[in-house]
Amino acid sequence: MIEPALIESLRPSVYGAIAAVDGAKLRVGGLARFVRVGDRLSITREKRPPLIAETYAVERDAALAYAFESTEGVTAGARAELRPDIAFARPSKDWLGRVLNWRGETIDGAAPRGGARAMRLNAPPPPAALRRALGPRLATGMGAFDTFLPLCRGQRAGVFAGSGVGKSTLLSSFAAGVDADVCVLALIGERGREVRSFVEAAREAGILDKTVVIASTSDEPPLARRESARLALAVAEYFRREGAHALLVFDSLTRFADAHREIALAKGEPPSLHAYPPSTVSALAALVERAGPGVEGEGDITAVFSVLVAGSDMEEPVADMVRGLLDGHIVLDRTIAERGRFPAVNIRRSVSRSLPAAASAAENGALLEARRLLAAYENAELVLRAGLYVAGADAATDRAIALFPRLDAFIAQHDMANPEESFARLQAILRSN
């Protein structure tokens, strides 16, 4: 089979000229007969590297494009070369241990050695009928995620959290604790300091050598942020096609949706709820569906996506859109973080769709009993704080009150060897009273 990138590279060189510049939007003449929506253009600038732009509309006599970077230095009449091949990447094992930008370049501007296989940056997911089912549950080293919220090989989970409740720390724990052949860390719209912190955490955990970091900070243009997200999926897909188990840690889907909103509104799409255009759901689904199990003979992509929720509102537009796209959601609660328990996961509001299949009948029974105890304690918490609860009034509540400190401590434990040990500890707690 001929690689798509090779087919694109055999197309003859085609040039047009910039007719007008309006912020990040460009009007290009001379290409209308050749260019397609989604094609890339390379535009010359004086004393600066070429500007990359993406075509989003084609008229009878002109193409409309949106620039990946500032259009500073672009003049009317500047040459615009049609470059569809830019929409492909060539990941390789040489990318491991590196921090790359949306172009696939290291932060010092050097390009790592590319592989033989060209990967589409906006590739479709594997055919649904041919994908394998989720694999076995994975050890995370954390009590909550080895029992209540298991992560299975090929699963796509979401971490829903407001700011300052331990989201970044939890994502780093997943990257360090889950046994995978390769880790792809996508930092989309993050602060520069956060990128450095993630890299240092990966180095301290001894996993940097098997990690590819794709970073696009919050100050970069929206197309660069969107392209970084797509590149991260393309890298994970490359290793999956090589038969490896890739762990994708993606922070965050909200920043990806924000970048899509900026681009879509600039193109003239109508705004909807919170100004997110209707195409946002499709863009998120197209990205998320690319992760997961591969077809027979391939590896898997296990993915943990973060979702920022303003004011811890789980009904916020992006959170509401994403919940139905993932195989489980992990809700971090500010009130739990404020009392000092980390990870600040709210077990009652969180769910893993790999259950009950991922656990045995005895393990599912223990989880059901533990959830009932946590619910009973939380239902009685206000009465307890007010000093109005009378011991002996309800046997189930009495037991929940007695066991809650140990259950709460179990959820915070980070020293589990495997899920079997985690369940043994949980069952010991349930038998203790």
Side-chain angles (χ1 to χ4, degrees):
M1 179 179 176
I2 301 176
E3 289 282 356
L6 177 59
I7 296 174
E8 296 291 353
S9 67
L10 295 176
R11 295 176 66 182
S13 297
V14 178
Y15 301 94
I18 300 298
V21 181
D22 179 13
K25 294 189 290 185
L26 303 166
R27 187 178 185 87
V28 187
L31 291 177
R33 293 176 53 196
F34 307 98
V35 73
R36 303 165 298 188
V37 171
D39 278 349
R40 305 297 172 83
L41 306 176
S42 178
I43 300 158
T44 57
R45 295 184 290 183
E46 289 188 9
K47 300 179 181 179
R48 298 191 65 181
L51 173 70
I52 305 301
E54 180 179 289
T55 306
Y56 67 87
V58 180
E59 299 177 349
R60 183 180 296 274
D61 60 349
L64 305 180
Y66 195 90
F68 277 76
E69 301 171 280
S70 169
T71 54
E72 182 180 352
V74 178
T75 61
R79 190 176 76 171
E81 180 185 1
L82 180 59
R83 290 285 306 278
D85 58 300
I86 301 176
F88 293 85
R90 293 184 176 274
S92 72
K93 293 182 179 179
D94 191 50
W95 289 30
L96 295 172
R98 299 176 183 266
V99 182
L100 308 176
N101 61 17
W102 65 272
R103 293 175 181 264
E105 300 170 339
T106 55
I107 54 176
D108 59 5
R113 187 171 63 252
R117 176 175 288 158
M119 306 296 296
R120 284 180 58 185
L121 295 181
N122 194 24
L130 300 180
R131 301 183 83 158
R132 302 190 318 279
L134 295 180
R137 65 189 179 196
L138 300 168
T140 67
M142 295 178 279
F145 304 104
D146 279 359
T147 53
F148 292 101
L149 302 169
L151 183 68
C152 289
R153 179 165 169 151
Q155 187 171 345
R156 298 175 301 226
V159 175
F160 295 74
S163 58
V165 295
K167 169 183 62 67
S168 297
T169 302
L170 179 58
L171 293 177
S172 295
S173 296
F174 276 117
V178 174
D179 184 19
D181 300 315
V182 175
C183 179
V184 179
L185 183 57
L187 303 175
I188 311 303
E190 285 292 328
R191 294 164 290 173
R193 183 184 64 80
E194 287 290 320
V195 174
R196 176 66 179 269
S197 296
F198 269 107
V199 173
E200 290 302 320
R203 182 177 286 109
E204 290 174 8
I207 62 168
L208 187 59
D209 288 343
K210 68 169 188 176
T211 301
V212 181
V213 182
I214 309 294
S216 182
T217 52
S218 57
D219 61 308
E220 294 190 46
L223 264 177
R225 283 178 268 143
R226 189 204 67 182
E227 205 68 357
S228 294
R230 292 179 173 178
L231 176 59
L233 266 297
V235 173
E237 287 167 332
Y238 164 78
F239 286 106
R240 178 174 64 189
R241 288 186 63 177
E242 293 291 307
H245 175 210
L247 174 67
L248 173 66
V249 178
F250 191 106
D251 190 17
S252 71
L253 280 179
T254 305
R255 301 301 187 215
F256 170 79
D258 290 345
H260 174 81
R261 175 174 59 183
E262 290 184 55
I263 298 165
L265 294 178
K267 293 177 180 178
E269 285 193 42
S272 187
L273 187 63
H274 285 221
Y276 287 103
S279 62
T280 305
V281 179
S282 298
L284 287 167
L287 188 79
V288 169
E289 278 294 324
R290 292 170 64 181
V295 300
E296 201 61 43
E298 294 185 349
D300 302 292
I301 300 174
T302 302
V304 180
F305 297 94
S306 75
V307 182
L308 297 173
V309 287
S312 300
D313 180 12
M314 284 292 291
E315 305 307 315
E316 192 201 30
V318 176
D320 194 41
M321 286 184 257
V322 167
R323 272 201 306 272
L325 302 175
L326 300 175
D327 304 319
H329 49 272
I330 300 159
V331 179
L332 301 187
D333 194 313
R334 188 172 300 279
T335 57
I336 296 176
E338 288 173 348
R339 64 178 173 82
R341 195 258 278 162
F342 294 96
V345 56
N346 187 317
I347 298 296
R348 290 186 70 183
R349 299 181 66 192
S350 304
V351 64
S352 171
R353 293 193 173 99
S354 63
L355 286 175
S360 67
E363 291 169 343
N364 279 313
L367 293 177
L368 180 60
E369 182 182 0
R371 281 184 175 272
R372 285 175 176 168
L373 290 170
L374 292 171
Y377 179 85
E378 290 180 20
N379 292 338
E381 192 170 12
L382 288 177
V383 180
L384 285 169
R385 288 182 179 178
L388 300 177
Y389 181 77
V390 178
D394 180 77
T397 303
D398 287 344
R399 184 164 184 260
I401 293 170
L403 292 182
F404 178 77
R406 295 188 63 189
L407 286 173
D408 196 53
F410 169 80
I411 294 170
Q413 288 180 334
H414 284 72
D415 59 346
M416 306 298 188
N418 51 54
E420 290 72 25
E421 179 187 337
S422 299
F423 271 105
R425 292 194 194 184
L426 177 61
Q427 289 164 338
I429 293 171
L430 297 177
R431 291 193 300 265
S432 64
N433 187 293

